[in-house]
Amino acid sequence: MTTPETATSPSSATADATSPATGPGRLGSLGPVGLVLAGGISVQFGGALAVTLMPRAGALGVVALRLLVAAVVLLLVCRPRLRGHSRTDWGTVVVFGITMAAMNGLFYQAVARIPLGPAVTLEVLGPLALSVFASRRAINVVWAALALGGVFLLGGGGFSGLDPTGAAFALGAGVMWAAYIVFSARTGRRFPQADGLALAMAVGAVLFLPLGIAESGTKLLDPVTLGLGAAVALLSSVLPYTLELLALRRLPASTFAILMSLEPAIAATAGFLILDQALSAAEAAAIALVVAASMGAVRTQVGGGRKKRAALESTGLEG
């Protein structure tokens, strides 16, 4: 079995990263579910940190710093090859970059207007919808419905009291999140390691930097702002996107999308620890629902994989 470090073609890029190699291969040894959970923890704590940075740099400025620093780090670490890629490869990377920029921009516009918890709650509806439409197994509809109930419970049973513009931005971010899942998987299949992610991040940074400069100007050059922006980039972009890209090479998009329903629960924890936002009884119940849905999705995926392997073994087709 090849690892992401040694993969040189789209087919080899999908291989299991389970050997004790360095870099992404070692991360891959966590398993796809572990990669998704680690990425979720990182991105939500990074999001809480970003909320504290917005008064200094503005929503668009924070996004610009996040994408720019993440692009620089990934390009330096990955040093992706620019030659040898088809038009389809480049098209996938460009769309992936646009999707990341739009997802981040819309989400930070949302949290500038509505609280972090409801914003993440509305945003996660995108991946949940994807899980229903992309899944070929009827049981995943049940897990999606259970997670959806938790999502609305976490939002207080409704969103009528939220700023409508902020809610619209959060829903738009959810649509882009679903698109991100699709194009992250396609990019991971077409590029080795995290090369495609690095190139896509550069595309997003180039597109968003003018917007950040227009809103924040020289505030982006403040040393404290730059330092906090770099921390947000590492926590919210570099680490989670790399982990998710590796996970999507071995995890179906439908199961990955349901696992994303854990994001409101992780966001609530990050909000409590960093932003001093306490959990209510309803929020705790919502967390229990989304955790149950995610556990059910993982159990279904593992059980399906075992049945498939058993069927292959019985017919002598495995290996």
Side-chain angles (χ1 to χ4, degrees):
M1 303 296 286
T2 57
T3 66
E5 295 90 49
T6 60
T8 57
S9 67
S11 60
S12 63
T14 61
D16 237 16
T18 56
S19 65
T22 59
R26 180 172 294 174
L27 292 174
S29 66
L30 291 173
V33 174
L35 293 173
V36 173
L37 294 178
I41 292 171
S42 180
V43 76
Q44 292 307 328
F45 275 81
L49 180 61
V51 171
T52 67
L53 179 58
M54 283 184 185
R56 302 179 64 94
L60 297 180
V62 172
V63 177
L65 282 176
R66 170 178 170 175
L67 293 175
L68 179 61
V69 174
V72 171
V73 171
L74 287 172
L75 289 173
L76 289 175
V77 172
C78 298
R79 297 183 181 181
R81 291 186 299 106
L82 300 180
R83 296 181 179 180
H85 302 297
S86 67
R87 287 187 178 182
T88 303
D89 293 341
W90 283 113
T92 300
V93 160
V94 170
V95 175
F96 187 27
I98 294 172
T99 299
M100 281 196 294
M103 178 179 68
N104 285 294
L106 290 169
F107 178 72
Y108 282 117
Q109 286 295 323
V111 295
R113 294 169 172 81
I114 61 178
L116 180 62
V120 176
T121 299
L122 284 172
E123 186 190 25
V124 84
L125 295 179
L128 283 173
L130 177 64
S131 72
V132 174
F133 292 116
S135 175
R136 296 181 180 179
R137 309 191 67 179
I139 188 63
N140 276 335
V141 177
V142 176
W143 303 131
L146 184 61
L148 186 61
V151 163
F152 276 107
L153 186 59
L154 190 65
F159 300 94
S160 59
L162 296 178
D163 176 79
T165 302
F169 276 127
L171 289 171
V175 174
M176 290 297 101
W177 194 356
Y180 159 81
I181 292 172
V182 173
F183 284 98
S184 179
R186 292 181 182 178
T187 301
R189 290 192 295 266
R190 290 184 173 276
F191 291 84
Q193 304 179 55
D195 287 10
L197 175 62
L199 294 171
M201 193 71 71
V203 171
V206 169
L207 292 175
F208 218 95
L209 188 58
L211 298 177
I213 293 175
E215 180 184 68
S216 303
T218 57
K219 294 179 181 179
L220 298 178
L221 300 178
D222 178 75
V224 175
T225 300
L226 283 173
L228 291 174
V232 170
L234 293 174
L235 287 172
S236 296
S237 294
V238 177
L239 182 59
Y241 290 171
T242 301
L243 294 175
E244 289 169 4
L245 185 144
L246 293 173
L248 280 164
R249 288 172 174 167
R250 294 181 286 156
L251 198 66
S254 57
T255 303
F256 178 88
I258 296 177
L259 284 171
M260 291 294 97
S261 64
L262 279 171
E263 297 289 346
I266 300 172
T269 302
F272 173 75
L273 295 176
I274 297 179
L275 304 175
D276 198 25
Q277 298 173 347
L279 289 174
S280 66
E283 289 170 335
I287 290 173
L289 284 177
V290 295
V291 168
S294 297
M295 290 178 63
V298 173
R299 188 178 182 85
T300 299
Q301 172 64 20
V302 172
R306 288 175 178 171
K307 290 180 180 179
K308 184 177 180 180
R309 286 194 297 272
L312 290 173
E313 290 174 354
S314 66
T315 57
L317 296 178
E318 188 175 40

